[in-house]
Amino acid sequence: MSLGPSLASKVLASKTLSSWIVPVAQWYANVSGYRKYGLRYDDLIMEENEDVQRAIKRLTPREQYDRAYRFKRASHASVLHAPLDKSQWTTPEQDVRYLSPHIVEVEKEEKERVMWDTALISRRK
Amino acid sequence: MLAARASSRTIQRVARNFATVVESSGVKVAAVDSNQATSSVTFLIKAGSRFEPKAGVAHGLKNFAFKSTAKRTALGTVRESEIYGGVLSASLSREHLALTAEFLRGDEQYFIDVLSSFVTTGRFTRHEFNEYVVPVVEAEIEAANFNPGLRAVEAAHAMAFHNGLGSSLLAVPHSSITHEDIKNFAQSAFTRENIAVLGTGIDQATLSSLVEKSLSKISTSSQLASSPSSYYGGETRLQAHGGPQTIFVGFGATGVPTSELAALAAYLSPTPSIKWSQGTSPISTAIPEGTSVEVVYLPYTDASLFGFLVQGSNGSAIKEASKAAIQALKSASSGLKGDDLKKAVAKAKFAAASAVDSREGLVSMLGSKVLAGQGSSLDSTLSSLDNVSATAFSKATSQLIKAKPVFVAVGDVATLPYVDELGL
C-alpha cells in the first residue's frame, strides 16, 4: 500500500467534520512547504515501488511531462536554497490528486490478481 | 460416370434448416444443436473494417474484446473463463467482427454474460488500450508484414474497392487511433440490429432466453454506414524480402455474389481432391514445378473479388504460372467442355456444404444470412449452384474478365512480371 490509510473520504462526507478539519488541513499543507516549491501533494508519493511506477505510466503524456517539469523546477530551487517566486507557488486549486486514482486502480488490480491466484474453487453440486 | 451417379442424387433430400432463427428482444438468434460435447456462442457484429470511420479502428476493437467491463476486469474474465475451461476468441473480417466463446455444455450462462457484458458495458480504458491492445495490434501488423500472401490480398482489396471494402483489416503501423475512437466505434456498432447471436451445441430456447435477458438494454439506433462498393482495379508493386515471391491477379465484381463465380472458383482451383495427386484443374498441369496457384474467391454482401494468388521462388516461374492461370480463366469464359461444369458445380456444392460442418464455416456461411434476416438454410445456396447453366457460366466469366484487372506484386519487384505481360 503506497498511499497509506486515509480518513479523507469520511471527513469530506460529513459537513461538520469537514468544516472543522479542512481549514486545518489547508493550513498544514501550506506549512509543509511543498507548495512553495511548485509541487503537488501527489508528487511526494514515494515512486520507488512497482505499483506507483505502473500508475505513473498511466498518466497522459501531458501529465507525465508536467510532473517531470515540476521535479526539475523544485530541485533547482532546492539547489538555490530558496523557494520559488510566489507567482509559481502551487495554489490549493492546482493541488489536485492526479496520481492517486491511478495508484488506487493499480492496487485494486493487484489485489484481484492475488485473489484469483489463491482462489479456492469448489465443484458445483 | 457423372451421368450414372446423377440418378442416385434424385433421392428426395429432406430440406433441412441448420438453425431456427428467432428474434429475441430484436436480436437475431440462431442455434444448431447436433449433440456435440461442447457448445459455442458467437456474437456476430456488423463492425468489420468496411464500417470503420478511421483506418485501424476495427482492428483495435477486435483486440479490445474481453477487456474490462462494468461487471468484471480483463483479468477476472480470463481467470474465470479458465476456471470454466472455456476459450474466448475474437476474429475480424471485412464485414463482421465475431466474438466467440467455446465452452462445455452447461456453462452457457456465464459465457453469454461475458460476451454480452463486453457488448453492453465495455469500458475501453486508456491504460488497457496502451498496455494490452496496442502491443497486440503492432505484433499483428508486424506478423502480417512477413506474410506476402496476406499483404497481396490486402493491397488487392485496396486497389479493387478503394474505400469501404478496400480498407485494410489491419491498422497502419504507428497509427493515431485512440481508445476514444474505438469506444465511439463500438458504441455505434454494438446495437440491436447489428448483432446476430449464433450458437452451436446449445438449445435454441435456452440461448434466446439468455440473450433476451442479457441484451435487453442494448441501444437500438445504428449509426454505422458503408457506401455501396464499386470496383476500380489497378496495379501496385510492393517490395518485400524473406517470403516467397507473390503476385495476385484478379478481378472484382459488384452486386450480390453469384453462384457462377463459386463454380468458376471450384473449376479452376488446382487443389486436388486426392492428396499427392495433380488434380484435374486446367491450371495444375500447366504451372511449373515449385510454384503454387491458389484461387481466391471472396464473396461479400455487395461485391466479390476473384483472382489468383501465385507464389514461387523466382519471377520467371511466376510469370509462366500466372500466364497459365489467366489462359485457363480465358478459356473458361468461352464455355466449358463436357462434364466440366457438372464437376465444378458438384465441387462447389461440396465446398459450401462441408464448410457448414465446422464452427467457423457455419458462422461465416450462416452469419451474414442471419444478420440480413434471410433465414438460415443452405438449400438456397445449393439450389442456386444447381441452376448454374453453361451459358450463364460463360457469360459471368467473360463479364468478370472484361473489367480492369487488379494486380499486386509482392517480393522482388524488379523480377516479378507486370500486368501487361500476363496475356490479359
Side-chain angles (χ1 to χ4, degrees):
Chain A
M1 293 294 280
S2 47
L3 286 177
S6 167
L7 293 172
S9 58
K10 293 217 171 68
V11 170
L12 287 173
S14 144
K15 230 177 184 177
T16 5
L17 270 180
S18 56
S19 67
W20 280 54
I21 292 176
V22 167
V24 181
Q26 288 296 351
W27 169 82
Y28 177 76
N30 282 324
V31 161
S32 62
Y34 67 88
R35 285 180 178 170
K36 292 180 188 168
Y37 284 83
L39 294 171
R40 295 181 183 180
Y41 185 73
D42 274 2
D43 294 338
L44 310 182
I45 296 170
M46 192 179 77
E47 65 167 85
E48 288 80 5
N49 175 318
E50 267 181 44
D51 290 350
V52 181
Q53 286 297 317
R54 256 181 92 188
I56 289 170
K57 282 203 195 104
R58 290 184 183 184
L59 297 173
T60 61
R62 177 64 204 250
E63 281 169 343
Q64 287 187 27
Y65 177 89
D66 285 353
R67 178 181 157 89
Y69 174 73
R70 287 193 301 272
F71 284 162
K72 277 203 163 176
R73 190 175 56 177
S75 55
H76 184 235
S78 161
V79 167
L80 298 178
H81 295 291
L84 293 173
D85 185 60
K86 202 165 181 184
S87 63
Q88 288 178 300
W89 289 8
T90 308
T91 60
E93 295 77 48
Q94 285 169 339
D95 195 4
V96 286
R97 308 293 299 265
Y98 69 99
L99 186 60
S100 37
H102 293 289
I103 298 176
V104 169
E105 189 92 336
V106 169
E107 277 173 352
K108 220 167 79 188
E109 279 167 33
E110 215 38 54
K111 216 170 145 191
E112 197 195 350
R113 188 178 293 274
V114 172
M115 189 275 280
W116 285 114
D117 281 347
T118 57
L120 284 177
I121 303 154
S122 61
R123 193 175 292 277
R124 246 184 320 196
K125 298 276 156 43
Chain B
M1 195 188 89
L2 272 166
R5 275 277 204 76
S7 62
S8 67
R9 292 259 176 94
T10 48
I11 299 166
Q12 187 70 48
R13 200 159 38 80
V14 183
R16 168 145 157 46
N17 261 336
F18 277 86
T20 31
V21 186
V22 293
E23 300 231 347
S24 93
S25 67
V27 179
K28 295 171 196 78
V29 179
V32 194
D33 192 355
S34 36
N35 278 326
Q36 59 267 57
T38 60
S39 314
S40 80
V41 172
T42 299
F43 277 33
L44 195 74
I45 303 151
K46 262 200 208 167
S49 57
R50 75 177 291 180
F51 301 105
E52 66 190 10
K54 196 172 163 186
V57 174
H59 189 200
L61 177 60
K62 180 204 122 186
N63 286 309
F64 236 121
F66 311 118
K67 298 290 175 282
S68 69
T69 65
K71 239 179 186 169
R72 33 179 102 70
T73 60
L75 180 81
T77 307
V78 172
R79 291 292 177 93
E80 211 170 343
S81 305
E82 278 176 353
I83 289 170
Y84 281 103
V87 178
L88 302 172
S89 58
S91 71
L92 182 70
S93 70
R94 289 201 141 67
E95 295 190 312
H96 303 123
L97 170 71
L99 305 173
T100 303
E102 292 159 83
F103 47 87
L104 290 167
R105 273 175 185 266
D107 296 338
E108 55 269 358
Q109 194 166 3
Y110 167 72
F111 283 97
I112 289 170
D113 187 50
V114 166
L115 291 167
S116 57
S117 70
F118 173 67
V119 166
T120 48
T121 62
R123 285 178 60 210
F124 301 98
T125 56
R126 189 169 51 85
H127 70 267
E128 280 178 317
F129 178 69
N130 291 328
E131 288 171 21
Y132 305 128
V133 179
V134 170
V136 180
V137 164
E138 273 169 7
E140 282 180 348
I141 295 168
E142 183 72 4
N145 264 339
F146 289 100
N147 183 344
L150 183 63
R151 274 187 83 185
V153 174
E154 287 291 308
H157 276 91
M159 294 273 99
F161 303 113
H162 291 189
N163 306 314
L165 274 181
S167 56
S168 174
L169 288 175
L170 299 159
V172 287
H174 316 292
S175 77
S176 60
I177 54 168
T178 64
H179 67 292
E180 284 293 331
D181 293 333
I182 296 174
K183 190 178 187 175
N184 292 338
F185 179 55
Q187 265 163 6
S188 54
F190 293 168
T191 58
R192 198 157 291 193
E193 57 268 35
N194 271 345
I195 297 180
V197 180
L198 305 161
T200 63
I202 187 168
D203 179 45
Q204 167 79 56
T206 320
L207 181 62
S208 49
S209 74
L210 284 172
V211 166
E212 188 155 4
K213 233 188 289 166
S214 54
L215 289 185
S216 57
K217 274 180 268 167
I218 197 164
S219 74
T220 45
S221 59
S222 171
Q223 298 126 32
L224 276 190
S226 173
S227 48
S229 303
S230 44
Y231 174 71
Y232 299 92
E235 183 182 4
T236 188
R237 306 172 73 78
L238 307 168
Q239 183 70 41
H241 55 86
Q245 309 293 319
T246 304
I247 70 164
F248 176 90
V249 55
F251 303 90
T254 51
V256 179
T258 58
S259 311
E260 281 79 15
L261 287 185
L264 178 65
Y267 167 66
L268 291 173
S269 172
T271 315
S273 306
I274 299 167
K275 216 175 176 185
W276 308 119
S277 73
Q278 209 173 22
T280 54
S281 155
I283 298 175
S284 54
T285 47
I287 56 175
E289 193 83 11
T291 54
S292 70
V293 176
E294 201 185 320
V295 175
V296 178
Y297 169 56
L298 299 166
Y300 297 104
T301 47
D302 63 347
S304 45
L305 188 66
F306 183 94
F308 302 105
L309 192 68
V310 187
Q311 293 192 303
S313 53
N314 64 69
S316 58
I318 284 187
K319 189 174 165 185
E320 202 180 318
S322 38
K323 264 180 153 174
I326 297 290
Q327 188 53 45
L329 181 60
K330 276 193 161 172
S331 57
S333 72
S334 51
L336 298 184
K337 285 188 287 294
D339 279 341
D340 278 351
L341 183 64
K342 274 188 201 164
K343 224 164 63 182
V345 166
K347 211 172 156 185
K349 272 169 73 178
F350 177 76
S354 73
V356 180
D357 280 346
S358 72
R359 190 187 54 72
E360 294 86 0
L362 185 84
V363 168
S364 65
M365 177 85 190
L366 297 187
S368 52
K369 282 191 179 184
V370 172
L371 263 179
Q374 294 167 337
S376 66
S377 130
L378 193 60
D379 291 331
S380 59
T381 313
L382 295 184
S383 64
S384 74
L385 271 166
D386 270 330
N387 293 337
V388 171
S389 69
T391 46
F393 180 85
S394 57
K395 195 181 152 210
T397 313
S398 49
Q399 194 78 31
L400 181 75
I401 60 174
K402 241 187 260 163
K404 187 182 170 196
V406 174
F407 179 85
V408 182
V410 181
D412 182 11
V413 292
T415 60
L416 284 169
Y418 285 83
V419 66
D420 50 0
E421 295 172 296
L422 301 180
L424 272 167

